[in-house]
Amino acid sequence: QVDLHEWLDGLSPSSPVSAPLFESKFQILSSAGLSALTETERNQLASMLNRLERVAAYADSKGVKMLVDAEQTYMQPAIDHLTLLLMERYNTNHAVIFNTYQCYLVDSYKRVVADIERAERNGFVFGAKMVRGAYMVQERRLAKLRGYADPIHENIQATHDNYNAVIEMVLRYKAAPAVPEAGVMKRRATALMLASHNEKSVARAVQLMAELGIPRKESGVYFGQLQGMCDHVSYMLGEKQYAVYKYLPYGPVKEVMPYLLRRAEENGDLMSGVGKERKMIEKEIKRRVFEALGFAAKSKKEYSVAH
């Protein structure tokens, strides 16, 4: 068997061995929808690879993590390939590079399994960020236009189930007994970012971590939510000593707003909980006001009676 990603690792426009693949005289894979890269495109490819390498090296030198975002399915294989290549180079002892998996895709579970197997086979730390996905309308429109199967799960519950299943699979793999390597027991190294605003998914993951004996701190399991979204979940995780991050997009309004709108679409079920979060904020404001006035020891009922 040949691992496609591993085979592609050796392909470079500047390599004498693989250069013919990037030239117009290469005809073996020619088709109506496939053509060789032009000189301009080869230069752009080389420039992109150089920029990626520089960013990854800088992240590694500063001790921070580089999470590569996911996009539409027609460009995702290229993103996966480049991210896994960087992962193999930089995730030697700990996770620096993370790939993103959109769990609303039908094939996402199998892709995660395949990439975990590749990491174990080649001896690098698998780093993954799990999200639900944000291009449903575009994906289904394109599938219908080009006549291939819808790549998205049929409904939101199927997406929830798949997301939870992927998280459970990765956590169980991470918690599995160490494996022997050259006479030494080597722990399966995996890093996981649960990027979710779904309270049930977060609670399920927390419970599973406890059952599997995965520690809350310095375990390679992280939680992430957007700043201003599901903050009460973030605060709860932080209070309980889990590794939680708040994600703050920044940039020109014309570029940031479409991104935030996609996040709102991706987390449509979150909008139904806005009323709950508003009540929690109101309760916290009252608590702080009463505490400032010296009534911290009194209950809410006592406040209403006394005032």
Side-chain angles (χ1 to χ4, degrees):
Q1 293 183 351
V2 177
D3 186 303
L4 178 61
H5 287 293
E6 293 174 2
W7 181 75
L8 289 172
D9 285 353
L11 302 185
S12 170
S14 60
S15 169
V17 176
S18 56
L21 297 177
F22 299 90
E23 298 176 358
S24 58
K25 63 183 180 182
F26 184 70
Q27 300 293 327
I28 296 177
L29 296 179
S30 295
S31 70
L34 181 65
S35 60
L37 297 180
T38 65
E39 182 177 357
T40 298
E41 290 171 335
R42 293 199 298 272
N43 291 334
Q44 291 173 339
L45 174 60
S47 177
M48 177 192 67
L49 294 173
N50 181 56
R51 289 197 301 269
L52 275 173
E53 187 73 32
R54 287 167 54 195
V55 173
Y58 189 74
D60 188 33
S61 70
K62 295 299 180 180
V64 300
K65 305 182 189 308
M66 175 177 157
L67 281 68
V68 181
D69 211 351
E71 299 296 338
Q72 293 91 338
T73 52
Y74 60 80
M75 67 174 76
Q76 192 59 46
I79 297 173
D80 287 345
H81 167 60
L82 294 173
T83 305
L84 286 166
L85 178 59
L86 291 174
M87 203 182 294
E88 188 165 351
R89 291 180 182 175
Y90 290 95
N91 290 13
T92 52
N93 297 312
H94 60 277
V96 176
I97 311 298
F98 287 65
N99 197 19
T100 299
Y101 298 87
Q102 300 182 100
C103 293
Y104 72 167
L105 294 175
V106 175
D107 69 348
S108 56
Y109 189 99
K110 291 182 179 180
R111 286 172 47 228
V112 174
V113 170
D115 290 349
I116 286 178
E117 290 176 349
R118 181 188 182 190
E120 183 170 336
R121 183 170 62 252
N122 293 343
F124 62 88
V125 179
F126 177 70
K129 181 180 77 169
M130 302 301 177
V131 302
R132 277 172 167 75
Y135 301 102
M136 182 171 66
V137 175
Q138 295 179 37
E139 294 285 6
R140 285 183 166 159
R141 184 192 304 127
L142 190 61
K144 184 176 181 180
L145 179 65
R146 298 192 175 180
Y148 59 79
D150 186 349
I152 310 295
H153 280 290
E154 60 182 356
N155 54 54
I156 185 62
Q157 188 56 53
T159 294
H160 289 331
D161 292 342
N162 186 58
Y163 185 91
N164 293 334
V166 170
I167 295 298
E168 180 172 351
M169 180 266 292
V170 176
L171 289 178
R172 289 192 180 280
Y173 175 84
K174 181 178 181 63
V179 294
E181 182 175 300
V184 178
M185 296 303 288
K186 185 177 180 181
R187 191 76 179 178
R188 287 188 171 99
T190 306
L192 174 66
M193 164 67 79
L194 288 87
S196 176
H197 302 93
N198 186 289
E199 291 185 48
K200 292 182 179 179
S201 290
V202 171
R204 181 187 177 94
V206 165
Q207 181 180 358
L208 192 56
M209 286 177 66
E211 293 175 359
L212 296 174
I214 299 175
R216 302 179 184 184
K217 299 174 65 175
E218 301 180 358
S219 64
V221 178
Y222 313 95
F223 296 85
Q225 290 89 34
L226 274 166
Q227 179 70 27
M229 282 192 180
C230 224
D231 288 342
H232 61 288
V233 173
S234 306
Y235 296 151
M236 179 275 292
L237 290 168
E239 184 180 6
K240 300 297 183 181
Q241 301 299 305
Y242 289 93
V244 57
Y245 292 81
K246 295 301 288 184
Y247 181 28
L248 181 61
Y250 66 94
V253 173
K254 65 179 181 179
E255 295 180 10
V256 173
M257 285 308 298
Y259 175 88
L260 292 176
L261 289 173
R262 289 199 300 272
R263 299 290 79 71
E265 179 184 358
E266 178 182 7
N267 298 283
D269 57 331
L270 174 65
M271 298 297 103
S272 62
V274 170
K276 173 184 176 181
E277 191 162 357
R278 184 175 66 247
K279 291 180 180 179
M280 294 176 71
I281 292 173
E282 292 173 353
K283 182 179 179 180
E284 177 62 14
I285 291 174
K286 290 178 181 178
R287 185 193 69 79
R288 296 187 184 190
V289 170
F290 288 135
E291 186 175 88
L293 294 175
F295 299 110
K298 293 186 177 182
S299 67
K300 184 175 180 180
K301 182 177 181 179
E302 287 175 313
Y303 291 140
S304 62
V305 172
H307 297 80

